[in-house]
Amino acid sequence: MIKTRDADSHTKEKIFMAASEIFEEKGHSGARMQEIADRAGINKALLHYYFRSKDQLFKAVFVVLMKKMFAKIISIMKEDMTFKEKIKKFLDEHIEFMIKNPKLPLFLLSEISQNPEFSESISETVRLRDLKTMLYEQHAKELKGYGIKKSDMSQLMVTIVSFSVFPMAAYGMISVLMPEFRERKKFNEYMRERKEFASGLLFAALKNRKK
Amino acid sequence: MIKTRDADSHTKEKIFMAASEIFEEKGHSGARMQEIADRAGINKALLHYYFRSKDQLFKAVFVVLMKKMFAKIISIMKEDMTFKEKIKKFLDEHIEFMIKNPKLPLFLLSEISQNPEFSESISETVRLRDLKTMLYEQHAKELKGYGIKKSDMSQLMVTIVSFSVFPMAAYGMISVLMPEFRERKKFNEYMRERKEFASGLLFAALKNRKK
DNA sequence: GTCTATAGAAGGATAGAC
DNA sequence: GTCTATCCTTCTATAGAC
């Protein structure tokens, strides 16, 4: 049994997991190397052995979490379906994804806004051009028929994403305003109801514009 | 001329303004007392003279910014208008408010989510109960007529707020995905177009539900 | 009220033993 | 590969002169 190698990758993995959690919770500047080490059940020095510095550890985590977020969105947009089918599927899957990763959106929004420079290095990794091309194809094929101008596409996209992302990013605020949602189960129900609410709203609006 | 008193309140004000800016930009854990002092054009020791500790300075700022945000929302909701009029006015004024305070929403969302305990002490200050009562009155009077269930009220409210708040909070992300918006002027145009887009979407949807 | 100087704590990073 | 011990920088906070 190759003990060293097993231990090696296993430890690195443990550190990475711990770092993801802590960074997601507290952000880059709020996170402490000590706390990451504690959660990983290892020593502070090992963090530097595997990831040299806090910044590099953070970047490794950030890239993976960024991909995680967009992989979900892109995989759905890619599929060959009508616009309505895509919306339904997106709301369903993305809201379930958000429920499983509740800290993710606010973390990404915060860190990107504080570090736009290195977020750009990621835009290649995430293959965003594909996303745009797909959207414009869909527009040419189908959305014109709804009376949606090309210039409204970005409004529409931001709106659709906001249906699932915003309540999750605003969870803290929402649970202060509506204390019933401090119970996570109740809030998850709320999010699931949102699938119907959002598609209902969008489709009702489109119906009125359909030529 | 009472020089001491003038200087007193003036300095405190300067510190407070500087602190607001820095905290909004970098958050509690990212902000540095030194940087705040520099921006205020005074010495670090003076910060502690006026506000004892970083935490207390932060809390002072946080409460004011929180009120600033909600004052805007509540003042509009309070007025005696139909639901549609309120929506239109809200979108108009709140989007203009966001353009003037672009860092505010993400700051509040982030800090609340990291500090839910002391955010609750604020919920009294901000008079949120009033907001709820007003919403339920509007529902009883008018929204039932659109076929909106009482249980959908919170979905609707979150959605309306998200129209103006989400793109602002997601500005960093958006400007990575759509580089044309790195130009702030372009993005502000986008936000202003959003007034029409959002009310159009909402009203079209309501029209379909009107009995 | 405002400054300089400095204490004191915390956090990131490294050296060196095993 | 992992740990202990420690260095060094950064940051908050205070003491004390003016």
Side-chain angles (χ1 to χ4, degrees):
Chain A
M1 200 158 116
I2 314 163
K3 188 148 182 260
T4 6
R5 279 224 190 131
D6 274 14
D8 182 356
S9 71
H10 178 236
T11 301
K12 194 167 180 182
E13 189 59 25
K14 269 199 305 180
I15 292 174
F16 190 88
M17 295 299 288
S20 304
E21 290 172 23
I22 304 283
F23 279 133
E24 265 191 84
E25 260 175 57
K26 317 211 164 170
H28 178 279
S29 63
R32 296 290 165 255
M33 294 297 267
Q34 185 61 60
E35 201 180 351
I36 293 172
D38 291 348
R39 178 150 329 177
I42 50 91
N43 189 276
K44 235 191 349 172
L46 263 191
L47 298 182
H48 291 93
Y49 176 76
Y50 282 105
F51 296 90
R52 204 167 163 76
S53 72
K54 185 183 181 183
D55 269 20
Q56 289 199 34
L57 176 53
F58 178 80
K59 283 188 190 178
V61 167
F62 182 80
V63 170
V64 168
L65 293 184
M66 190 84 173
K67 280 189 188 171
K68 196 174 169 184
M69 184 74 170
F70 279 96
K72 197 78 207 164
I73 297 176
I74 290 179
S75 78
I76 295 169
M77 293 297 169
K78 242 185 201 160
E79 297 188 44
D80 188 27
M81 298 188 288
T82 67
F83 182 66
K84 283 199 176 182
E85 286 167 342
K86 272 191 192 176
I87 299 294
K88 270 207 168 304
K89 188 163 189 201
F90 175 79
L91 287 170
D92 181 29
E93 290 197 13
H94 202 252
I95 282 175
E96 293 302 327
F97 177 69
M98 289 287 91
I99 288 173
K100 282 194 208 99
N101 301 275
K103 298 267 172 68
L104 190 54
L106 189 53
F107 166 75
L108 292 178
L109 295 181
S110 299
E111 297 301 330
I112 284 188
S113 115
Q114 259 154 48
N115 248 323
E117 63 277 11
F118 87 46
S119 307
E120 289 171 28
S121 67
I122 287 162
S123 53
E124 305 127 34
T125 326
V126 180
R127 308 291 263 132
L128 292 163
R129 307 194 165 246
D130 297 2
L131 191 58
K132 266 200 171 164
T133 326
M134 293 180 310
L135 288 176
Y136 284 134
E137 277 172 21
Q138 194 108 38
H139 178 261
K141 261 199 298 186
E142 195 183 355
L143 290 174
K144 271 187 199 164
Y146 288 111
I148 293 171
K149 289 171 289 180
K150 208 172 171 184
S151 63
D152 272 348
M153 283 295 284
S154 50
Q155 295 284 1
L156 189 58
M157 286 306 116
V158 169
T159 303
I160 291 168
V161 169
S162 81
F163 277 120
S164 50
V165 171
F166 178 72
M168 225 60 206
Y171 174 72
M173 182 75 85
I174 288 174
S175 69
V176 169
L177 303 185
M178 314 176 188
E180 63 269 31
F181 290 139
R182 266 167 234 180
E183 237 183 293
R184 203 79 209 192
K185 246 188 91 172
K186 283 260 162 82
F187 183 69
N188 290 347
E189 273 177 46
Y190 174 82
M191 288 302 292
R192 294 201 166 97
E193 281 167 22
R194 201 159 175 77
K195 297 176 190 176
E196 283 305 311
F197 177 84
S199 58
L201 187 71
L202 284 169
F203 295 164
L206 288 181
K207 204 164 143 194
N208 265 334
R209 306 180 72 161
K210 184 101 184 178
K211 285 180 190 162
Chain B
M1 198 157 114
I2 314 164
K3 190 151 179 257
T4 7
R5 279 223 188 131
D6 274 13
D8 181 355
S9 71
H10 179 235
T11 301
K12 194 168 181 179
E13 189 60 24
K14 270 197 307 180
I15 291 173
F16 189 88
M17 295 299 288
S20 304
E21 290 171 23
I22 303 283
F23 279 133
E24 264 191 83
E25 261 174 56
K26 317 210 165 172
H28 178 281
S29 63
R32 295 291 166 255
M33 295 297 266
Q34 185 61 60
E35 201 180 353
I36 294 173
D38 290 348
R39 178 154 326 182
I42 51 91
N43 189 276
K44 233 186 357 168
L46 264 190
L47 299 182
H48 292 93
Y49 175 78
Y50 282 105
F51 296 90
R52 209 171 158 74
S53 72
K54 184 184 180 182
D55 268 21
Q56 289 199 33
L57 176 55
F58 178 80
K59 283 189 189 178
V61 167
F62 182 80
V63 170
V64 168
L65 293 184
M66 189 85 172
K67 279 189 188 172
K68 196 173 169 186
M69 184 74 170
F70 280 96
K72 198 78 207 164
I73 297 177
I74 290 178
S75 78
I76 295 169
M77 292 298 170
K78 241 185 199 158
E79 296 188 44
D80 188 26
M81 298 188 287
T82 67
F83 182 66
K84 282 198 176 183
E85 286 167 342
K86 274 191 190 176
I87 299 293
K88 268 206 168 304
K89 188 163 188 199
F90 175 80
L91 287 169
D92 180 28
E93 291 198 11
H94 203 253
I95 282 175
E96 292 301 327
F97 177 70
M98 289 287 92
I99 288 173
K100 282 194 208 99
N101 301 275
K103 298 267 172 66
L104 191 53
L106 188 53
F107 166 74
L108 292 177
L109 295 181
S110 299
E111 296 301 330
I112 283 188
S113 112
Q114 259 154 50
N115 248 323
E117 62 277 11
F118 89 44
S119 306
E120 290 172 26
S121 68
I122 287 163
S123 55
E124 304 126 34
T125 327
V126 179
R127 309 291 262 129
L128 291 164
R129 307 195 165 248
D130 298 2
L131 190 58
K132 267 201 171 163
T133 327
M134 292 180 309
L135 288 177
Y136 283 135
E137 277 171 22
Q138 194 109 36
H139 177 261
K141 261 198 299 184
E142 196 182 352
L143 290 174
K144 271 187 203 164
Y146 289 112
I148 293 171
K149 289 171 289 179
K150 209 172 170 182
S151 62
D152 273 349
M153 282 296 284
S154 49
Q155 295 285 359
L156 189 58
M157 285 307 115
V158 169
T159 302
I160 291 166
V161 170
S162 81
F163 277 120
S164 51
V165 170
F166 177 72
M168 226 60 207
Y171 173 72
M173 181 74 84
I174 288 173
S175 68
V176 168
L177 302 185
M178 312 175 190
E180 62 268 33
F181 290 139
R182 265 167 234 180
E183 235 183 295
R184 203 78 208 194
K185 246 188 91 173
K186 283 259 162 83
F187 183 69
N188 290 348
E189 272 178 45
Y190 174 82
M191 288 302 293
R192 293 200 168 98
E193 282 167 23
R194 201 160 176 76
K195 297 175 189 176
E196 284 304 311
F197 177 85
S199 58
L201 188 70
L202 283 169
F203 296 164
L206 288 180
K207 204 165 145 195
N208 266 334
R209 307 180 69 160
K210 183 102 182 181
K211 286 179 189 164

